[in-house]
Amino acid sequence: MFQDLLGGLWVVLQPINLLILTSAVLIGFVGGALPGISGVILVVILLPVTYSMEPTGAFMLLTAIYASSVFSGLITAILYRAPGTPEAVMTAIDGYPMTQKGEAGKALGIGILSSAIGGMFGTLVLILATPFLADMALQFSSPEFFALAVLGLTVVASLGGNLLLGLIGVCIGLMIASVGIDPLTGTIRFTFGSLHLMGGVNLIPVIIGLFAISEVLKRCQEGDIHLTSKSFKIKIFDWPVIRQIRTTIVRSSILGTVIGILPGIGASTAAMVSYSETVRWSKDRSRFGKGAPEGIAAPEAANNAAAMGALVPLFALGIPGSGTTAVILGAFIVHGLTPGPTFMSGNNELIYAVFVGLMMVNVMILVFSKPFIAVLSKLLDVPYSVLGPIIVICCVVGTYSVQNSMMDVWLMLGFGVAGFLLEKIGFPLVAIILGVVLGPIAESELRRSLALSQGDLSIFVTRPISAVLLLIAFVLVTVTIVAPILRRKRARRDETA
Amino acid sequence: MHNTIRRLVIGPVMATMALTAPAWAEDSFQPPKMTAFVAAGAGGGTDNFVRTIQPMLEERLKTNMTVINLPAASGVLAHQRTANSEPDGTSLDFASTTFITSRAAGQNPVGLDQLTPVARMQSDVMMLVVNPEKYDNLEEFMANARENGQKVVIGGTHAASVDRMAFLGLNKQAELELSYIPYDNEGSASASLLSGNVDGMMNEISAIQGYMEAGRMKPILAFSAERLDAYPDIPTTAENGWDLTFGNERGVFINAQTDPATISAIEAAFKDIFDSEEYQTYAKRSNLDVRAGWLGSADYRQALEKDLAFFEELMADN
């Protein structure tokens, strides 16, 4: 393997390939930073360009764009609360409050470092363990995915804030997720006869509406404040901060990689689960949502690690672990290559060149992100009365381009107004996103599990992995609900005594 | 008076033009701009098909083609936008058999009266695929299927997919009671088969080549009339006495009100592409050459109408 890696390095160091990698990173940066233009779209746009290229160069280009776009979604999430990619939704929750506190530089530094470390960790696992891990991931079937989604949904209990509002939020999210063609029976649900709603509500309009548009509306109401205080300096290696977030980064990198490897769920889910686990493990939960450094480190380490992890089943089994990797799988086939069991043995040079290339991309993120953000953040000097409309335009264009659908744009604007109003009453918007992302997984995997077991519910407890996951979820919910009650009782007893 | 003269002069001119129309159209249907609506998401088989053909069609019709992916709701929006477009031949709908299966399932309001097939370019062969650790051949599978009925589970894609139609057809013709689990995508269904969570999977031959070579999947039944030249060992539905010969097909559709001459011009362009070495290389590379793909407009319509009736019958039974 060491020799293969050296061979890969040699291929990557060819001037033409270095040029490809560098431009891929920059393309990924720009695409990731624009809301609505995700890694998937970039890879698709550039796919025809790669037809005439050598396969090695082509796949270095595509995978590098994918890796760097997952990273750069955090920039606009932190600066404007407009996540550039779905993967960066959770980053906005603590990143944006830090910007509001005038700590944008610190927030970006944490994001960059966590992303790079998460990405490197994921790549390392990808290189070392691809054949072995892919087989492990196959152990996960419907009951396990259902249990994982349930575990994710219980997060709402530990997010802090008003538990009842959180539960209502999850239910709203689940309701949104149930619109469209029922994936299992093909029955049409809640579409009110609209063809556009038949495909269901896409995640992008919900995210962009709830987070970006609602923020612009809020700012409109506050009047034109020129944010001169926002000038910042990014410090990536800030040792006191690193000491604070290092356990979070390590835990989230591992969690992210593992979730990424599982077929079918990708970096967005990884960011969500690791954020919630970080909140759970934290001693002082009230800091989250108000600008906690761990709140940035967790999702960023996890989503970059997961992006690399998602490549494991792609290379080893030919099964994509996420939406973007599904497109990359298509690209392989167009180039006459079929990833899967036979692929690993026959295309060593290509595979190791791609692996080494991905490692270099994560290093380049550390090097290039600072100047790139410096250019991008010049925007902050622009008054909000100009910047706000630009953000809205980007959101509209980005949303439209996902499915070429005007309906999505209207939905996005609708969710924007809804998000604006809900925030006024202190509603946790994340809860809605949780429901929208995890709802479809939970629903269809539950029904698939029951179809597998002919309706026997015991399938969830007789399979060890799903049993453990559900048990954890159950304990966590019970603890979050019971603990405050006990504490209150004790306090009352103390008072009376 | 003037009108009469004009009519007298124009009449013969028009008649001559009408007579020469097909040849004229074939040579000079060269719109400056065309739009390709794709009834599938970016990156899948249908999308790859469109993006491979795009430069070839642009060259032949001396045009610029914009590709728009409309994956929502099994591609219904792509059909609808093509059906509502100007009938001038510049809007094409690239679709797969899902066009017909979603119609049979009542999800697709656009029918063959609104869209006319231009050409079929690909015809994949549906396979019943099993995990070789579980079953070695069709006999073993059938014995278990007869004995355990509903407990034998087949995976595939969504409920209105050609996979499910194949499943329903097999259940009906072979008098079985197998269960079907629809997955979100082919990858998840493959994962379930590899891990042994489902007994079998419906999939096209082009999609499972890698697994077959590695000995991790085994097709045990081909939905075709004759044994495939490349895979003479796989038994067929026809030799078992089951009248089920289909697979996923990919073709091009156009607004039904388009001038027939324009349609034949576009059909001719596609035929030329299909016969080109460039296209055949792509088809070979993607394993899409196991069965003859080409069908012209009229033949394709006939085949689709027959399939639609069959799928509707299957859906009505369930």
Side-chain angles (χ1 to χ4, degrees):
Chain A
M1 173 184 280
F2 191 66
Q3 209 156 6
D4 289 330
L5 279 175
L6 272 182
L9 186 66
W10 175 246
V11 176
V12 172
L13 287 179
Q14 306 288 317
I16 178 75
N17 288 337
L18 273 180
L19 188 71
I20 289 175
L21 268 188
T22 317
S23 37
V25 169
L26 293 178
I27 295 169
F29 273 3
V30 176
L34 296 173
I37 309 226
S38 60
V40 185
I41 296 172
L42 281 174
V43 170
V44 168
I45 293 172
L46 283 164
L47 187 52
V49 180
T50 68
Y51 285 163
S52 53
M53 290 168 68
E54 281 287 307
T56 309
F59 289 104
M60 274 179 13
L61 180 81
L62 296 176
T63 50
I65 289 176
Y66 165 59
S68 63
S69 72
V70 170
F71 152 76
S72 76
L74 74 88
I75 303 171
T76 41
I78 289 176
L79 293 179
Y80 310 110
R81 209 171 81 149
T85 51
E87 290 90 349
V89 183
M90 302 308 279
T91 315
I93 295 168
D94 276 290
Y96 187 66
M98 279 183 90
T99 302
Q100 284 177 313
K101 283 194 274 180
E103 297 177 328
K106 189 178 161 195
L108 288 168
I110 296 168
I112 294 166
L113 184 72
S114 315
S115 295
I117 295 179
M120 285 179 201
F121 181 83
T123 314
L124 209 63
V125 174
L126 174 69
I127 293 171
L128 294 177
T130 296
F132 169 70
L133 282 175
D135 273 344
M136 284 240 310
L138 278 183
Q139 301 297 315
F140 266 66
S141 181
S142 298
E144 286 77 20
F145 283 120
F146 169 70
L148 196 70
V150 170
L151 187 64
L153 283 171
T154 59
V155 165
V156 71
S158 47
L159 272 179
N162 189 326
L163 182 61
L164 191 65
L165 285 181
L167 286 175
I168 295 175
V170 169
C171 290
I172 295 177
L174 291 175
M175 238 166 72
I176 296 169
S178 63
V179 173
I181 298 174
D182 172 358
L184 271 85
T185 61
T187 311
I188 295 165
R189 307 189 292 202
F190 309 122
T191 62
F192 305 101
S194 157
L195 277 185
H196 294 271
L197 283 178
M198 255 169 73
V201 178
N202 198 290
L203 186 60
I204 302 271
V206 184
I207 291 173
I208 294 187
L210 284 182
F211 286 96
I213 298 291
S214 70
E215 177 63 22
V216 173
L217 288 175
K218 201 170 90 193
R219 289 281 204 89
C220 289
Q221 224 187 10
E222 287 166 0
D224 197 351
I225 316 157
H226 197 263
L227 295 158
T228 37
S229 60
K230 263 200 184 173
S231 62
F232 53 80
K233 218 174 149 239
I234 303 168
K235 209 168 163 201
I236 298 175
F237 297 102
D238 189 356
W239 297 110
V241 176
I242 292 176
R243 220 163 293 136
Q244 194 185 347
I245 58 174
R246 62 184 171 200
T247 36
T248 307
I249 291 185
V250 171
R251 179 178 54 236
S252 303
S253 299
I254 297 172
L255 207 57
T257 311
V258 172
I259 292 176
I261 291 171
L262 300 175
I265 49 177
S268 315
T269 315
M272 227 165 240
V273 172
S274 72
Y275 180 86
S276 64
E277 287 317 307
T278 303
V279 176
R280 242 173 225 167
W281 285 66
S282 158
K283 287 189 196 99
D284 181 12
R285 287 179 189 170
S286 62
R287 290 185 302 123
F288 287 88
K290 294 172 195 138
E294 296 94 327
I296 299 171
E300 280 310 315
N303 64 21
N304 286 277
M308 298 302 107
L311 292 171
V312 172
L314 177 74
F315 280 114
L317 295 169
I319 291 169
S322 69
T324 320
T325 45
V327 175
I328 295 178
L329 175 66
F332 272 112
I333 292 165
V334 166
H335 276 270
L337 301 163
T338 320
T342 48
F343 181 65
M344 282 300 280
S345 46
N347 296 281
N348 257 339
E349 192 184 275
L350 186 152
I351 291 169
Y352 281 96
V354 168
F355 285 174
V356 174
L358 284 171
M359 205 42 132
M360 298 207 23
V361 167
N362 283 301
V363 178
M364 286 183 185
I365 285 176
L366 283 177
V367 181
F368 288 147
S369 55
K370 252 168 121 171
F372 176 74
I373 295 174
V375 174
L376 196 76
S377 63
K378 282 273 173 282
L379 282 173
L380 278 177
D381 291 336
V382 178
Y384 204 78
S385 53
V386 176
L387 191 58
I390 293 178
I391 294 178
V392 174
I393 291 171
C394 285
C395 293
V396 169
V397 173
T399 308
Y400 180 81
S401 65
V402 177
Q403 293 200 94
N404 295 302
S405 156
M406 204 51 209
M407 180 70 183
D408 279 355
V409 175
W410 298 123
L411 275 175
M412 187 239 348
L413 295 174
F415 278 111
V417 175
F420 169 67
L421 295 174
L422 286 171
E423 266 213 318
K424 292 220 152 202
I425 56 165
F427 204 95
L429 295 179
V430 201
I432 300 180
I433 299 288
L434 271 177
V436 177
V437 174
L438 299 175
I441 303 178
E443 187 208 343
S444 49
E445 298 298 359
L446 169 71
R447 290 165 61 189
R448 257 174 228 138
S449 311
L450 291 177
L452 278 175
S453 70
Q454 323 298 316
D456 188 356
L457 278 168
S458 67
I459 187 167
F460 296 108
V461 288
T462 50
R463 296 175 66 109
I465 301 176
S466 99
V468 170
L469 288 174
L470 285 174
L471 187 72
I472 297 174
F474 179 74
V475 170
L476 289 172
V477 171
T478 326
V479 169
T480 351
I481 295 173
V482 173
I485 298 175
L486 286 180
R487 216 176 299 140
R488 229 173 294 148
K489 260 193 185 157
R490 201 176 306 145
R492 215 174 298 150
R493 213 181 316 141
D494 291 347
E495 265 171 43
T496 48
Chain B
M1 184 65 188
H2 278 285
N3 276 344
T4 331
I5 293 174
R6 198 178 291 164
R7 233 173 267 152
L8 279 173
V9 178
I10 288 173
V13 175
M14 290 286 278
T16 335
M17 277 179 72
L19 278 174
T20 52
W24 166 81
E26 201 169 313
D27 293 333
S28 55
F29 177 70
Q30 291 176 353
K33 258 177 21 188
M34 290 183 85
T35 312
F37 295 107
V38 186
T46 307
D47 186 57
N48 287 343
F49 161 60
V50 181
R51 286 175 201 272
T52 311
I53 283 194
Q54 183 186 5
M56 307 185 196
L57 194 68
E58 283 177 340
E59 183 192 322
R60 283 170 178 81
L61 296 179
K62 306 214 168 28
T63 182
N64 266 314
M65 193 162 83
T66 318
V67 177
I68 299 180
N69 291 86
L70 295 168
S74 316
V76 168
L77 293 175
H79 313 320
Q80 197 195 31
R81 282 188 53 182
T82 312
N84 292 341
S85 65
E86 277 297 309
D88 56 4
T90 58
S91 300
L92 300 178
D93 179 11
F94 287 77
S96 66
T97 307
T98 309
F99 171 57
I100 291 298
T101 56
S102 62
R103 176 94 180 135
Q107 293 175 359
N108 172 13
V110 182
L112 284 167
D113 50 334
Q114 285 169 278
L115 288 183
T116 286
V118 177
R120 185 182 79 181
M121 300 287 279
Q122 298 173 359
S123 169
D124 214 338
V125 182
M126 181 63 72
M127 293 276 172
L128 172 61
V129 188
V130 295
N131 188 332
E133 284 167 26
K134 261 190 164 168
Y135 304 102
D136 200 42
N137 51 43
L138 184 64
E139 287 72 37
E140 272 182 36
F141 178 85
M142 290 303 287
N144 189 32
R146 292 224 164 79
E147 193 178 323
N148 289 314
Q150 288 184 349
K151 284 191 187 147
V152 178
V153 181
I154 304 287
T157 52
H158 60 97
S161 65
V162 66
D163 296 355
R164 172 122 188 279
M165 297 300 163
F167 161 82
L168 292 175
L170 182 67
N171 249 359
K172 189 176 173 183
Q173 301 249 348
E175 291 168 3
L176 297 172
E177 285 184 347
L178 310 175
S179 306
Y180 185 77
I181 298 190
Y183 287 88
D184 297 334
N185 50 55
E186 241 176 64
S188 309
S190 299
S192 290
L193 184 71
L194 291 179
S195 63
N197 282 295
V198 296
D199 292 274
M201 169 177 73
M202 293 293 175
N203 207 338
E204 275 81 33
I205 187 100
S206 63
I208 56 165
Q209 219 97 28
Y211 301 105
M212 278 169 62
E213 282 161 23
R216 304 195 57 166
M217 284 189 191
K218 187 173 185 182
I220 51 167
L221 181 66
F223 284 59
S224 69
E226 284 159 32
R227 292 209 175 197
L228 306 172
D229 291 340
Y231 307 96
D233 298 336
I234 308 174
T236 66
T237 40
E239 66 191 50
N240 279 286
W242 306 322
D243 181 20
L244 299 164
T245 49
F246 57 92
N248 202 14
E249 301 179 350
R250 295 201 178 93
V252 188
F253 296 81
I254 200 165
N255 187 333
Q257 283 155 13
T258 314
D259 179 18
T262 309
I263 297 182
S264 13
I266 301 173
E267 186 188 333
F270 274 105
K271 176 73 176 134
D272 195 40
I273 291 173
F274 184 84
D275 292 334
S276 71
E277 205 188 309
E278 206 182 353
Y279 180 82
Q280 286 303 328
T281 318
Y282 148 78
K284 202 174 185 64
R285 233 172 30 186
S286 323
N287 302 308
L288 287 164
D289 57 345
V290 208
R291 184 153 67 185
W294 177 261
L295 274 187
S297 177
D299 294 336
Y300 191 20
R301 170 178 283 277
Q302 229 170 19
L304 284 170
E305 275 167 357
K306 187 175 151 253
D307 284 351
L308 180 61
F310 177 59
F311 294 152
E312 274 171 346
E313 193 188 315
L314 283 178
M315 291 304 287
D317 291 347
N318 284 274

Short mmCIF file of all heavy atoms in Angstrom, two decimals, chain B residues 175-213:
data_model
loop_
_atom_site.label_atom_id
_atom_site.label_comp_id
_atom_site.label_asym_id
_atom_site.label_seq_id
_atom_site.Cartn_x
_atom_site.Cartn_y
_atom_site.Cartn_z
N GLU B 175 -47.37 -17.24 -10.76
CA GLU B 175 -48.29 -17.53 -9.64
C GLU B 175 -47.55 -17.62 -8.32
O GLU B 175 -47.60 -18.61 -7.60
CB GLU B 175 -49.07 -18.81 -9.93
CG GLU B 175 -50.05 -18.61 -11.07
CD GLU B 175 -50.64 -19.91 -11.59
OE1 GLU B 175 -50.33 -20.96 -11.01
OE2 GLU B 175 -51.42 -19.86 -12.55
N LEU B 176 -46.84 -16.53 -8.00
CA LEU B 176 -46.10 -16.46 -6.73
C LEU B 176 -46.73 -15.39 -5.85
O LEU B 176 -47.56 -14.60 -6.31
CB LEU B 176 -44.64 -16.09 -6.99
CG LEU B 176 -43.82 -17.08 -7.81
CD1 LEU B 176 -42.47 -16.48 -8.14
CD2 LEU B 176 -43.66 -18.39 -7.06
N GLU B 177 -46.31 -15.36 -4.58
CA GLU B 177 -46.82 -14.32 -3.68
C GLU B 177 -45.68 -13.58 -3.01
O GLU B 177 -45.70 -13.30 -1.81
CB GLU B 177 -47.73 -14.95 -2.62
CG GLU B 177 -49.07 -15.34 -3.16
CD GLU B 177 -49.98 -15.88 -2.08
OE1 GLU B 177 -49.49 -16.17 -0.98
OE2 GLU B 177 -51.18 -15.99 -2.35
N LEU B 178 -44.63 -13.28 -3.76
CA LEU B 178 -43.46 -12.62 -3.19
C LEU B 178 -43.82 -11.23 -2.70
O LEU B 178 -44.79 -10.63 -3.14
CB LEU B 178 -42.37 -12.51 -4.25
CG LEU B 178 -42.03 -13.78 -5.02
CD1 LEU B 178 -41.01 -13.46 -6.09
CD2 LEU B 178 -41.49 -14.84 -4.08
N SER B 179 -43.01 -10.70 -1.75
CA SER B 179 -43.20 -9.33 -1.29
C SER B 179 -42.19 -8.42 -1.99
O SER B 179 -41.12 -8.86 -2.39
CB SER B 179 -42.96 -9.22 0.21
OG SER B 179 -43.74 -10.13 0.90
N TYR B 180 -42.57 -7.13 -2.09
CA TYR B 180 -41.69 -6.16 -2.75
C TYR B 180 -41.37 -5.02 -1.80
O TYR B 180 -42.25 -4.52 -1.11
CB TYR B 180 -42.40 -5.60 -3.99
CG TYR B 180 -41.55 -4.67 -4.82
CD1 TYR B 180 -40.57 -5.17 -5.67
CD2 TYR B 180 -41.72 -3.29 -4.76
CE1 TYR B 180 -39.80 -4.33 -6.44
CE2 TYR B 180 -40.95 -2.44 -5.53
CZ TYR B 180 -39.99 -2.98 -6.37
OH TYR B 180 -39.21 -2.13 -7.14
N ILE B 181 -40.08 -4.64 -1.72
CA ILE B 181 -39.70 -3.47 -0.93
C ILE B 181 -39.08 -2.44 -1.85
O ILE B 181 -38.05 -2.69 -2.46
CB ILE B 181 -38.70 -3.84 0.18
CG1 ILE B 181 -39.33 -4.83 1.13
CG2 ILE B 181 -38.27 -2.59 0.93
CD1 ILE B 181 -38.54 -5.07 2.38
N PRO B 182 -39.73 -1.27 -1.97
CA PRO B 182 -39.16 -0.23 -2.81
C PRO B 182 -38.09 0.56 -2.05
O PRO B 182 -38.32 1.00 -0.93
CB PRO B 182 -40.35 0.68 -3.13
CG PRO B 182 -41.43 0.30 -2.20
CD PRO B 182 -41.02 -0.88 -1.38
N TYR B 183 -36.92 0.73 -2.65
CA TYR B 183 -35.86 1.54 -2.05
C TYR B 183 -35.78 2.88 -2.77
O TYR B 183 -36.31 3.05 -3.86
CB TYR B 183 -34.51 0.80 -2.14
CG TYR B 183 -34.43 -0.34 -1.17
CD1 TYR B 183 -34.87 -1.61 -1.51
CD2 TYR B 183 -33.93 -0.14 0.11
CE1 TYR B 183 -34.81 -2.66 -0.62
CE2 TYR B 183 -33.86 -1.19 1.01
CZ TYR B 183 -34.30 -2.44 0.65
OH TYR B 183 -34.25 -3.47 1.55
N ASP B 184 -35.11 3.86 -2.10
CA ASP B 184 -35.03 5.20 -2.68
C ASP B 184 -34.22 5.21 -3.96
O ASP B 184 -34.43 6.02 -4.84
CB ASP B 184 -34.38 6.17 -1.69
CG ASP B 184 -35.23 6.32 -0.44
OD1 ASP B 184 -36.44 6.11 -0.55
OD2 ASP B 184 -34.68 6.63 0.63
N ASN B 185 -33.23 4.34 -4.04
CA ASN B 185 -32.42 4.30 -5.25
C ASN B 185 -31.85 2.90 -5.42
O ASN B 185 -31.93 2.06 -4.52
CB ASN B 185 -31.31 5.33 -5.17
CG ASN B 185 -30.53 5.24 -3.88
OD1 ASN B 185 -30.03 4.18 -3.54
ND2 ASN B 185 -30.45 6.33 -3.16
N GLU B 186 -31.27 2.69 -6.60
CA GLU B 186 -30.70 1.40 -6.93
C GLU B 186 -29.63 0.97 -5.93
O GLU B 186 -29.52 -0.19 -5.56
CB GLU B 186 -30.05 1.51 -8.30
CG GLU B 186 -30.63 0.61 -9.34
CD GLU B 186 -29.98 0.90 -10.67
OE1 GLU B 186 -28.76 0.68 -10.80
OE2 GLU B 186 -30.70 1.38 -11.54
N GLY B 187 -28.81 1.98 -5.51
CA GLY B 187 -27.70 1.69 -4.61
C GLY B 187 -28.17 1.05 -3.32
O GLY B 187 -27.60 0.05 -2.86
N SER B 188 -29.23 1.60 -2.72
CA SER B 188 -29.72 1.04 -1.46
C SER B 188 -30.26 -0.37 -1.66
O SER B 188 -30.09 -1.23 -0.80
CB SER B 188 -30.83 1.92 -0.88
OG SER B 188 -30.42 3.25 -0.82
N ALA B 189 -30.91 -0.58 -2.80
CA ALA B 189 -31.43 -1.92 -3.07
C ALA B 189 -30.27 -2.91 -3.22
O ALA B 189 -30.30 -4.02 -2.67
CB ALA B 189 -32.29 -1.90 -4.34
N SER B 190 -29.22 -2.47 -3.93
CA SER B 190 -28.05 -3.33 -4.09
C SER B 190 -27.43 -3.66 -2.74
O SER B 190 -27.05 -4.80 -2.49
CB SER B 190 -26.99 -2.63 -4.96
OG SER B 190 -27.48 -2.37 -6.23
N ALA B 191 -27.32 -2.63 -1.88
CA ALA B 191 -26.73 -2.86 -0.56
C ALA B 191 -27.51 -3.91 0.21
O ALA B 191 -26.93 -4.78 0.87
CB ALA B 191 -26.68 -1.54 0.22
N SER B 192 -28.85 -3.85 0.12
CA SER B 192 -29.67 -4.82 0.84
C SER B 192 -29.49 -6.22 0.29
O SER B 192 -29.55 -7.20 1.03
CB SER B 192 -31.14 -4.44 0.74
OG SER B 192 -31.37 -3.30 1.49
N LEU B 193 -29.28 -6.32 -1.00
CA LEU B 193 -29.07 -7.64 -1.59
C LEU B 193 -27.71 -8.20 -1.16
O LEU B 193 -27.60 -9.36 -0.76
CB LEU B 193 -29.15 -7.57 -3.12
CG LEU B 193 -29.03 -8.93 -3.82
CD1 LEU B 193 -30.29 -9.75 -3.59
CD2 LEU B 193 -28.78 -8.78 -5.31
N LEU B 194 -26.69 -7.34 -1.20
CA LEU B 194 -25.34 -7.79 -0.82
C LEU B 194 -25.31 -8.24 0.63
O LEU B 194 -24.60 -9.19 0.98
CB LEU B 194 -24.32 -6.66 -1.02
CG LEU B 194 -24.02 -6.24 -2.46
CD1 LEU B 194 -23.03 -5.10 -2.47
CD2 LEU B 194 -23.47 -7.41 -3.26
N SER B 195 -26.05 -7.54 1.49
CA SER B 195 -26.01 -7.89 2.91
C SER B 195 -26.98 -9.02 3.24
O SER B 195 -27.08 -9.43 4.38
CB SER B 195 -26.34 -6.66 3.75
OG SER B 195 -27.65 -6.23 3.47
N GLY B 196 -27.72 -9.49 2.26
CA GLY B 196 -28.60 -10.63 2.48
C GLY B 196 -29.93 -10.26 3.14
O GLY B 196 -30.64 -11.14 3.61
N ASN B 197 -30.26 -8.98 3.21
CA ASN B 197 -31.52 -8.60 3.83
C ASN B 197 -32.73 -8.81 2.92
O ASN B 197 -33.84 -8.91 3.40
CB ASN B 197 -31.46 -7.14 4.29
CG ASN B 197 -30.69 -6.99 5.58
OD1 ASN B 197 -31.11 -7.51 6.61
ND2 ASN B 197 -29.55 -6.34 5.52
N VAL B 198 -32.50 -8.83 1.61
CA VAL B 198 -33.58 -9.21 0.71
C VAL B 198 -33.13 -10.44 -0.07
O VAL B 198 -31.95 -10.71 -0.19
CB VAL B 198 -33.98 -8.06 -0.26
CG1 VAL B 198 -34.53 -6.87 0.48
CG2 VAL B 198 -32.81 -7.66 -1.13
N ASP B 199 -34.11 -11.15 -0.59
CA ASP B 199 -33.79 -12.40 -1.30
C ASP B 199 -33.35 -12.16 -2.74
O ASP B 199 -32.56 -12.92 -3.29
CB ASP B 199 -35.00 -13.33 -1.30
CG ASP B 199 -35.31 -13.84 0.09
OD1 ASP B 199 -34.71 -14.85 0.49
OD2 ASP B 199 -36.12 -13.19 0.78
N GLY B 200 -33.94 -11.14 -3.33
CA GLY B 200 -33.62 -10.88 -4.73
C GLY B 200 -33.83 -9.42 -5.04
O GLY B 200 -34.33 -8.65 -4.22
N MET B 201 -33.45 -9.04 -6.24
CA MET B 201 -33.59 -7.64 -6.63
C MET B 201 -33.90 -7.61 -8.12
O MET B 201 -33.42 -8.45 -8.88
CB MET B 201 -32.28 -6.91 -6.36
CG MET B 201 -32.19 -5.53 -6.96
SD MET B 201 -30.66 -4.68 -6.52
CE MET B 201 -29.46 -5.53 -7.51
N MET B 202 -34.74 -6.64 -8.52
CA MET B 202 -34.97 -6.42 -9.94
C MET B 202 -33.99 -5.34 -10.38
O MET B 202 -33.96 -4.27 -9.79
CB MET B 202 -36.40 -5.94 -10.20
CG MET B 202 -37.45 -6.97 -9.89
SD MET B 202 -37.34 -8.34 -11.04
CE MET B 202 -38.57 -9.43 -10.33
N ASN B 203 -33.21 -5.63 -11.40
CA ASN B 203 -32.30 -4.61 -11.88
C ASN B 203 -31.94 -4.89 -13.34
O ASN B 203 -32.14 -5.99 -13.83
CB ASN B 203 -31.04 -4.57 -11.02
CG ASN B 203 -30.41 -3.19 -11.02
OD1 ASN B 203 -30.62 -2.40 -11.93
ND2 ASN B 203 -29.63 -2.92 -10.01
N GLU B 204 -31.37 -3.87 -13.98
CA GLU B 204 -30.97 -4.05 -15.37
C GLU B 204 -29.58 -4.67 -15.43
O GLU B 204 -28.76 -4.45 -14.54
CB GLU B 204 -30.94 -2.70 -16.10
CG GLU B 204 -32.29 -2.30 -16.64
CD GLU B 204 -33.18 -1.69 -15.57
OE1 GLU B 204 -32.64 -1.02 -14.68
OE2 GLU B 204 -34.40 -1.91 -15.62
N ILE B 205 -29.33 -5.36 -16.50
CA ILE B 205 -28.05 -6.04 -16.66
C ILE B 205 -26.90 -5.03 -16.64
O ILE B 205 -25.82 -5.30 -16.11
CB ILE B 205 -28.05 -6.89 -17.94
CG1 ILE B 205 -26.78 -7.74 -18.03
CG2 ILE B 205 -28.16 -6.06 -19.20
CD1 ILE B 205 -26.99 -9.14 -17.61
N SER B 206 -27.12 -3.82 -17.20
CA SER B 206 -26.02 -2.86 -17.31
C SER B 206 -25.54 -2.39 -15.95
O SER B 206 -24.40 -1.95 -15.80
CB SER B 206 -26.47 -1.65 -18.13
OG SER B 206 -27.51 -0.97 -17.48
N ALA B 207 -26.42 -2.47 -14.94
CA ALA B 207 -26.09 -1.88 -13.64
C ALA B 207 -25.32 -2.83 -12.72
O ALA B 207 -24.77 -2.39 -11.72
CB ALA B 207 -27.37 -1.40 -12.96
N ILE B 208 -25.30 -4.12 -13.04
CA ILE B 208 -24.76 -5.05 -12.06
C ILE B 208 -23.50 -5.77 -12.53
O ILE B 208 -23.01 -6.68 -11.87
CB ILE B 208 -25.81 -6.11 -11.68
CG1 ILE B 208 -26.31 -6.82 -12.93
CG2 ILE B 208 -26.97 -5.50 -10.94
CD1 ILE B 208 -27.05 -8.10 -12.62
N GLN B 209 -22.99 -5.34 -13.67
CA GLN B 209 -21.82 -6.00 -14.26
C GLN B 209 -20.68 -6.21 -13.26
O GLN B 209 -20.15 -7.31 -13.13
CB GLN B 209 -21.31 -5.17 -15.43
CG GLN B 209 -20.86 -6.01 -16.58
CD GLN B 209 -21.95 -6.13 -17.62
OE1 GLN B 209 -22.77 -5.24 -17.74
NE2 GLN B 209 -21.99 -7.21 -18.35
N GLY B 210 -20.32 -5.13 -12.56
CA GLY B 210 -19.18 -5.21 -11.64
C GLY B 210 -19.39 -6.26 -10.57
O GLY B 210 -18.49 -7.04 -10.25
N TYR B 211 -20.60 -6.31 -10.04
CA TYR B 211 -20.92 -7.27 -8.98
C TYR B 211 -20.91 -8.70 -9.52
O TYR B 211 -20.54 -9.64 -8.83
CB TYR B 211 -22.27 -6.98 -8.36
CG TYR B 211 -22.39 -5.62 -7.77
CD1 TYR B 211 -23.11 -4.62 -8.40
CD2 TYR B 211 -21.79 -5.32 -6.55
CE1 TYR B 211 -23.22 -3.37 -7.86
CE2 TYR B 211 -21.88 -4.07 -6.00
CZ TYR B 211 -22.60 -3.09 -6.66
OH TYR B 211 -22.70 -1.86 -6.11
N MET B 212 -21.37 -8.85 -10.76
CA MET B 212 -21.40 -10.17 -11.36
C MET B 212 -19.98 -10.72 -11.51
O MET B 212 -19.70 -11.86 -11.15
CB MET B 212 -22.06 -10.12 -12.74
CG MET B 212 -23.56 -10.15 -12.70
SD MET B 212 -24.24 -9.77 -14.33
CE MET B 212 -23.60 -11.12 -15.29
N GLU B 213 -19.10 -9.85 -12.01
CA GLU B 213 -17.72 -10.29 -12.22
C GLU B 213 -17.06 -10.66 -10.90
O GLU B 213 -16.24 -11.57 -10.83
CB GLU B 213 -16.91 -9.19 -12.92
CG GLU B 213 -17.20 -9.14 -14.41
CD GLU B 213 -16.79 -7.82 -15.04
OE1 GLU B 213 -15.92 -7.14 -14.47
OE2 GLU B 213 -17.36 -7.49 -16.11
#
